[in-house]
Amino acid sequence: MTIDVYNKYVFVAAGRSGLMIYGHDGGFVTQYRFGEDVVTTAVTADNGKLFISNGEAGIYVATYDPFLEVIGKLDMEADGTVNHIKLSDGY
């Protein structure tokens, strides 16, 4: 599982609990689950976008402020899994 800090939020990949979002002050903001069988394994934020790895469910690309909006998805189909993702300075 990973944690990334971006703007005024802390994003936590929380496995079967999905994506947890906290304020910089440590206060809980919200939780997003992407499906009953989806395991959120990593999250990274850069240039206003979140990249969320969800194992066999693939990579979700989203924006957040103050609501999460999924704007794209890379589906791994039956052949793969995404367990880590990192983005920095647009790469």
Side-chain angles (χ1 to χ4, degrees), residues 4-5 7-8 11 23 30 38 51 53 63 69-70 77-78 85:
D4 204 357
V5 177
N7 286 342
K8 56 188 174 191
F11 300 96
T30 193
V38 176
F51 293 80
S53 68
T63 58
E69 178 182 358
V70 175
E77 300 174 6
I85 191 165

Side-chain angles (χ1 to χ4, degrees), residues 35-47:
E36 186 175 318
D37 294 327
V38 176
V39 179
T40 302
T41 56
V43 62
T44 188
D46 192 45
N47 292 325

Side-chain angles (χ1 to χ4, degrees), residues 1-14 18-24 29-30 32 40 42-46 48-52 62-68:
M1 309 305 165
T2 62
I3 298 172
D4 204 357
V5 177
Y6 187 75
N7 286 342
K8 56 188 174 191
Y9 301 104
V10 178
F11 300 96
V12 179
L19 179 67
M20 308 292 278
I21 302 173
Y22 298 87
H24 273 179
V29 176
T30 193
Y32 289 91
T40 302
V43 62
T44 188
D46 192 45
K49 295 187 178 57
L50 297 173
F51 293 80
I52 307 157
T63 58
Y64 183 80
D65 195 17
F67 302 102
L68 186 114

